[in-house]
Amino acid sequence: MTPTRDARLDLRMTADNRALISEAAQLNGTSLSDYVMSVVVRAARRDVLQARVLRLDPGAWDEFVAVLDAPDTEAMTALRSRATRWDAAEQ
């Protein structure tokens, strides 16, 4: 089942860019809208994934885990014991 296309995105561009994108869509045998959607959604997924995923080499991973496993410093203990804004809002 194809999702309903119920949102629009309007773009202003140069005539040269429009011609280039139209040619690329034709070369791929697809409509201009479908071509733009496929390229933009693929790029957006890549960018979001890169922003959400943390990749570390094994040495850096070991350092990261060691920091997480280390006992809290006094400053960290004090920070954890402070009331948060959302705690204060619940009262």
Side-chain angles (χ1 to χ4, degrees):
M1 180 178 191
T2 304
T4 303
R5 292 184 177 189
D6 57 356
R8 293 186 56 86
L9 175 65
D10 298 311
L11 303 170
R12 308 255 327 143
M13 66 184 74
T14 66
D16 288 345
N17 284 345
R18 166 76 187 231
L20 178 63
I21 295 167
S22 293
E23 183 178 353
Q26 286 178 332
L27 291 170
N28 281 277
T30 187
S31 70
L32 180 64
S33 292
D34 287 342
Y35 177 78
V36 170
M37 282 298 299
S38 69
V39 170
V40 170
V41 168
R42 189 174 342 137
R45 284 187 178 131
R46 181 200 63 227
D47 292 347
V48 168
L49 182 63
Q50 285 178 344
R52 290 182 179 172
V53 175
L54 175 65
R55 297 183 192 273
L56 300 172
D57 63 54
W61 176 257
D62 291 340
E63 288 178 42
F64 176 70
V65 170
V67 168
L68 293 177
D69 289 341
D72 282 349
T73 62
E74 286 183 37
M76 184 58 75
T77 300
L79 182 62
R80 288 183 195 272
S81 65
R82 281 184 34 195
T84 63
R85 289 182 189 168
W86 51 90
D87 289 335
E90 290 177 0
Q91 297 174 2

